[in-house]
Amino acid sequence: MIRLRHCVLLAILTFASACKNEQSTMKEGPIPPIAKKESYTHTMHGDQREDDYFWMRKRDDSAVIGYLEKENAYYDKMTSHTDQLKKDLFEEMKSRIKEDDASVPYKYNGYWYITRYEKGKDYPIYTRKKDSLTAEEEILFDGNEMAKGQSYFNITGISISPDNSMASFGIDTVGRRKYTLQVKNLKNNEILPTKIALTTGGSTWANDNKTLFYTRKDEQTLRSNKIYKHRLGEDPEKDQLVFEEKDETFNTYVYKTKSRKYLVIGTSSTLTTEYQILDADQPQGDFNMFHPRERGLEYSIDHYKDAFYILTNKDDAVNFKVMTTPVNATTADNWKDLVPHRDKVLVEDMEIFKDYYVLSERINGLLKIRVRSWDDKEDFYIPFDNETYTAYTSTNVEFDTSIVRYRYTSLTTPASVIDFNMKTQEKEVKKEQEVLDPNFDKENYISKRVWAPARDGKMIPISLVYKKGIMLDGTNPLLQYAYGSYGYTVNPGFSSTRLTLLDRGFVFALAHIRGGEYLGREWYEDGKLLKKKNTFTDFIDCSKHLIDLKYTSPEHMYAVGGSAGGLLVGAVVNMAPELYNGVIAAVPFVDVVSTMLDDSIPLTTGEYDEWGNPNDKEYYDYMKSYSPYDNVSAISYPNMLVTTGYHDSQVQYWEPAKWVAKLRELKTDDNIILFHTNMDAGHSGASGRFESLKETAKDYAFLLDLEGITK
């Protein structure tokens, strides 16, 4: 299953909540920009939609740039009284972060790999040590040196050749996720002159150490649609096209199995997958079909000895099951059950080791890690004792080991990296996230799970966290977050930045609404396509329940969402604006109908299975009935902060720009709307760990200012 419009989640989850005591500060001041109107009519299925701000799609047009700059200037003027607060919040959040930090080392193919940070620097340094952790450090890539002179920088897809002599990697200096693929000779530390543009950034080595497989994107739609084969030393213009995915609803990618035996080309849409395989020792050979695509059939594959192991929804296994098949008979008619389907257990992932296999299962919303031996003598769950935790398998690249590494966190517990010995069932905490705040004590916070009744009788789980001692009398500021699309489950985890809000009396609520898979695959199916409105009404019903329980009140209730979560809060403020004092919408997907009708926009064709295809009138009418942009009306809206990135490839900048302009035109209240465009960034915001904190500080300052909290 592809998950496309959720890449800002980690940043969004650092939020918490706010209230409403002194709002006059921001409401008094400069007059907001008024966007010009140019008549434009969309016609479809005999229906006409007026779009007076369609002209904002003209990327790099002087009028468009001018409007965005006016909005940024308005934001600066309207929030100038919080400039010191933003700086203080930034320094506060930064002070909790261990600047000279490093990842827990993992061993792969004879080397220990470590990613570390240095004090005062924004970007990671990728290193390795041969054989022993006491060996001399070898710096593979220093992101700080590579980022010099760039307003945006991202390195991705680092892949080491089997003989450890070469490293391929991708670089993006714009933020539009159009990576240039390069190769570094690790023997002499020289980067080869070869540059391959417009890739995903990732690549996979064949076992000959000379052949590199990679994925290119379509120039206009940015769909990953072609797999190429590159030979070191040869002109990339002569690279061989190995596979082209011509179905515009599918994306393609390439990787190697953990056993290092097979190269795999995968293709996927929201609901369908397909794989082709090739012996990694024979890169000049042809890929063979594993099993041809069948609409609605999802599967993923891994290899062990003489068999493949398949995680799939075959045979109506809604919550997925594990099957196996011989390496020489891979079509679905040969697949046999290994772990049968269970109605109440969602199987999310599988890790294969020499003596064990490990399943990631979700039961009643909670993540479980199940360990089973191949001989069936052992079958147990790693024990956890919290109701709002997150646990998931981490970096497990070694095959011949009894250690499974996993990560554990909760809303009150900093993230830990844990090695679990599957033979002895002993665990070793390799690292727990340090919170550099002498006043921090996880025992000072309460986390719990409550269940809100939805209007159709379903019960919606909500994970909550707040500081001990606050009175639940309806006066607390509360920030409610959710995502609710693509089956993507946002798990409850710790955030050191969120402490900035919790320590000021905020409650943070994570609503596990339909459209995600928190309660299984059917939870996702019940919040997509022609059932998408369940996502929005679930969020509203969670808000009402929290108000009824006196966690907050409408004067102190806030909502935040990003990307498809921005669509969520955009729909919610049209449907129930009276419940919220303020809303933050980050890179929001709000012009749903226009975007889904435009197949030249990145992601559109690959998302018909999520939202529906509006070329079909039934889906057109349904989308139009909830699309935030199409449903702006002359009503009172909450205070709002809307943010975007000019180079965003996932949600184009003009969607929030048009939405804000229309809100300004029609709303009947005097609440504020602030709109800020990062002219140097894309969907994920600013690059660099500290630059991104500045964006979080802006969001927090918006909430605090609405609450009248000045420090």
Side-chain angles (χ1 to χ4, degrees):
M1 295 170 284
I2 52 174
R3 309 286 184 250
L4 297 172
R5 284 191 168 99
H6 65 268
C7 301
V8 294
L9 291 176
L10 291 179
I12 295 299
L13 280 175
T14 60
F15 297 156
S17 44
C19 316
K20 177 184 180 184
N21 294 331
E22 300 176 11
Q23 297 179 19
S24 59
T25 326
M26 284 197 285
K27 290 180 181 177
E28 296 174 358
I31 297 174
I34 303 299
K36 68 177 181 178
K37 297 171 67 174
E38 292 183 2
S39 180
Y40 187 90
T41 303
H42 301 277
T43 302
M44 191 70 180
H45 303 301
D47 178 57
Q48 292 188 330
R49 291 182 301 122
E50 298 300 321
D51 188 354
D52 292 331
Y53 304 107
F54 185 78
W55 61 271
M56 291 186 185
R57 292 169 50 103
K58 300 175 183 176
R59 185 182 296 275
D60 299 331
D61 182 84
S62 59
V64 173
I65 298 294
Y67 172 70
L68 298 178
E69 289 175 342
K70 287 178 182 177
E71 285 285 4
N72 283 354
Y74 177 69
Y75 168 85
D76 290 340
K77 290 177 182 177
M78 290 294 288
T79 64
S80 60
H81 64 285
T82 66
D83 285 349
Q84 187 59 49
L85 177 61
K86 294 174 199 171
K87 293 177 183 177
D88 293 344
L89 294 175
F90 168 76
E91 293 297 336
E92 177 183 317
M93 291 184 287
K94 182 181 177 183
S95 70
R96 295 195 192 101
I97 298 173
K98 182 176 172 57
E99 293 194 46
D100 53 344
D101 203 4
S103 64
V104 177
Y106 69 88
K107 195 173 186 181
Y108 179 70
N109 199 21
Y111 281 83
W112 289 94
Y113 287 87
I114 306 165
T115 302
R116 61 178 178 83
Y117 288 88
E118 292 183 349
K119 191 171 183 178
K121 295 184 178 180
D122 255 325
Y123 295 97
I125 300 170
Y126 299 93
T127 72
R128 69 179 183 178
K129 297 181 178 182
K130 188 174 183 180
D131 296 327
S132 169
L133 287 171
T134 61
E136 182 179 357
E137 178 187 74
E138 176 186 348
I139 295 179
L140 304 176
F141 300 97
D142 185 341
N144 303 287
E145 290 296 320
M146 300 173 74
K148 285 183 176 178
Q150 305 292 344
S151 58
Y152 179 92
F153 175 81
N154 187 27
I155 181 172
T156 193
I158 298 172
S159 178
I160 309 297
S161 63
D163 66 359
N164 295 308
S165 68
M166 297 285 179
S168 57
F169 62 99
I171 295 292
D172 176 16
T173 57
V174 175
R176 201 156 169 78
R177 300 184 184 180
K178 296 160 67 172
Y179 292 91
T180 298
L181 187 65
Q182 296 178 259
V183 176
K184 182 177 182 179
N185 185 326
L186 300 179
K187 293 180 179 179
N188 58 20
N189 281 324
E190 291 184 1
I191 294 179
L192 306 185
T194 300
K195 291 186 177 182
I196 305 174
L198 201 60
T199 77
T200 61
S203 57
T204 301
W205 293 93
N207 290 344
D208 65 356
N209 303 295
K210 298 177 182 178
T211 309
L212 196 62
F213 291 82
Y214 64 92
T215 311
R216 271 187 173 154
K217 293 185 172 186
D218 180 271
E219 175 70 45
Q220 183 174 26
T221 67
L222 301 186
R223 182 173 68 93
S224 307
N225 65 335
K226 295 179 180 179
I227 305 294
Y228 281 87
K229 178 167 58 177
H230 174 72
R231 295 275 293 178
L232 290 186
E234 296 184 0
D235 184 351
E237 293 296 322
K238 298 179 181 179
D239 285 356
Q240 179 184 344
L241 176 63
V242 176
F243 172 74
E244 180 177 4
E245 177 52 70
K246 296 183 178 180
D247 188 328
E248 293 183 347
T249 66
F250 280 74
N251 290 271
T252 188
Y253 45 93
V254 61
Y255 67 97
K256 189 187 291 183
T257 58
K258 185 175 179 178
S259 66
R260 310 179 199 176
K261 173 65 175 174
Y262 290 96
L263 296 162
V264 182
I265 292 176
T267 54
S268 64
S269 68
T270 305
L271 297 175
T272 307
T273 49
E274 176 185 85
Y275 293 94
Q276 303 171 59
I277 57 175
L278 172 65
D279 189 324
D281 291 328
Q282 306 294 329
Q284 302 311 314
D286 296 325
F287 281 81
N288 295 314
M289 182 63 66
F290 189 91
H291 179 77
R293 69 190 65 175
E294 299 176 21
R295 180 166 175 77
L297 176 64
E298 298 176 65
Y299 70 96
S300 58
I301 61 175
D302 210 340
H303 169 254
Y304 174 53
K305 290 186 176 179
D306 57 356
F308 281 99
Y309 294 84
I310 306 130
L311 180 60
T312 180
N313 65 348
K314 185 178 180 293
D315 305 322
D316 298 319
V318 176
N319 281 327
F320 288 75
K321 61 180 178 177
V322 179
M323 305 184 78
T324 184
T325 194
V327 293
N328 58 356
T330 62
T331 54
D333 54 319
N334 298 292
W335 299 359
K336 305 295 183 184
D337 280 5
L338 176 68
V339 181
H341 177 256
R342 290 156 290 169
D343 290 336
K344 303 297 184 181
V345 180
L346 174 66
V347 184
E348 293 192 338
D349 198 9
M350 181 180 185
E351 286 271 10
I352 288 178
F353 299 89
K354 181 181 178 182
D355 298 320
Y356 299 88
Y357 59 96
V358 178
L359 300 172
S360 296
E361 301 180 346
R362 190 178 293 274
I363 304 172
N364 196 33
L366 302 181
L367 289 161
K368 308 283 188 180
I369 298 177
R370 182 182 182 187
V371 178
R372 296 186 70 176
S373 60
W374 291 110
D375 60 12
D376 290 328
K377 292 181 179 179
E378 296 177 82
D379 185 353
F380 60 90
Y381 289 92
I382 297 176
F384 304 115
D385 57 1
N386 195 305
E387 198 180 29
T388 56
Y389 71 88
T390 296
Y392 56 95
T393 56
S394 180
T395 306
N396 291 287
V397 293
E398 283 293 331
F399 179 72
D400 188 3
T401 179
S402 61
I403 302 296
V404 58
R405 177 167 291 178
Y406 69 91
R407 292 178 179 266
Y408 176 88
T409 183
S410 76
L411 289 170
T412 59
T413 307
S416 297
V417 178
I418 300 170
D419 280 357
F420 182 85
N421 190 310
M422 294 179 280
K423 291 187 184 299
T424 66
Q425 297 192 28
E426 296 174 329
K427 71 177 183 180
E428 178 186 1
V429 178
K430 304 297 290 186
K431 180 180 180 179
E432 181 173 289
Q433 175 188 354
E434 292 186 57
V435 180
L436 302 184
D437 182 346
N439 298 315
F440 172 72
D441 182 347
K442 60 186 177 184
E443 299 303 322
N444 290 337
Y445 303 88
I446 295 173
S447 66
K448 62 173 63 174
R449 188 168 61 164
V450 300
W451 297 76
R455 60 196 66 186
D456 64 356
K458 299 288 186 179
M459 297 300 290
I460 314 299
I462 309 170
S463 295
L464 292 170
V465 62
Y466 52 91
K467 197 167 186 178
K468 287 181 179 178
I470 67 171
M471 299 297 292
L472 301 181
D473 58 3
T475 64
N476 303 300
L478 185 149
L479 182 65
Q480 181 176 317
Y481 169 76
Y483 186 69
S485 291
Y486 305 106
Y488 182 82
T489 299
V490 181
N491 295 304
F494 182 80
S495 165
S496 67
T497 55
R498 191 189 298 133
L499 296 174
T500 291
L501 295 178
L502 298 183
D503 288 347
R504 290 169 171 82
F506 293 29
V507 178
F508 177 74
L510 172 56
H512 304 288
I513 57 181
R514 280 174 281 187
E517 283 185 344
Y518 187 79
L519 293 181
R521 182 59 179 235
E522 290 183 353
W523 204 242
Y524 168 44
E525 299 290 347
D526 215 20
K528 60 181 292 194
L529 296 173
L530 297 175
K531 297 180 179 180
K532 188 62 203 173
K533 288 183 183 178
N534 285 337
T535 302
F536 316 137
T537 56
D538 280 0
F539 190 91
I540 292 168
D541 292 341
C542 286
S543 298
K544 291 179 177 178
H545 187 62
L546 292 171
I547 291 170
D548 290 343
L549 293 178
K550 301 295 185 181
Y551 280 101
T552 190
S553 60
E555 293 79 16
H556 301 289
M557 170 71 87
Y558 297 85
V560 59
S563 200
L567 160 63
L568 164 66
V569 297
V572 163
V573 295
N574 283 331
M575 298 168 70
E578 71 283 355
L579 292 179
Y580 309 94
N581 183 45
V583 170
I584 297 176
V587 290
F589 173 42
V590 285
D591 191 11
V592 183
V593 181
S594 298
T595 291
M596 294 305 297
L597 280 170
D598 188 348
D599 59 14
S600 70
I601 294 176
L603 308 186
T604 292
T605 55
E607 301 205 0
Y608 290 152
D609 285 333
E610 178 69 23
W611 311 101
N613 185 343
N615 291 291
D616 180 326
K617 188 176 187 302
E618 182 180 26
Y619 287 109
Y620 174 90
D621 290 341
Y622 190 75
M623 278 183 199
K624 185 183 176 184
S625 72
Y626 68 74
S627 173
Y629 181 66
D630 290 293
N631 287 279
V632 174
S633 60
I635 60 174
S636 179
Y637 283 92
N639 299 287
M640 299 176 69
L641 171 62
V642 182
T643 61
T644 191
Y646 184 64
H647 299 290
D648 196 332
S649 60
Q650 313 298 100
V651 177
Q652 308 303 311
Y653 71 86
W654 60 73
E655 291 198 40
K658 290 167 54 178
W659 184 45
V660 166
K662 193 171 183 180
L663 283 166
R664 289 203 198 285
E665 175 192 356
L666 294 179
K667 74 188 190 79
T668 59
D669 57 84
D670 63 352
N671 291 332
I672 59 166
I673 295 182
L674 301 176
F675 178 44
H676 187 271
T677 303
N678 187 328
M679 301 301 291
D680 296 319
H683 196 63
S684 300
S687 62
R689 54 179 177 161
F690 299 132
E691 285 303 310
S692 61
L693 280 183
K694 292 178 181 178
E695 295 186 341
T696 303
K698 290 179 179 179
D699 297 331
Y700 283 9
F702 171 76
L703 298 172
L704 291 169
D705 194 50
L706 289 175
E707 283 298 309
I709 299 174
T710 59
K711 63 172 77 174

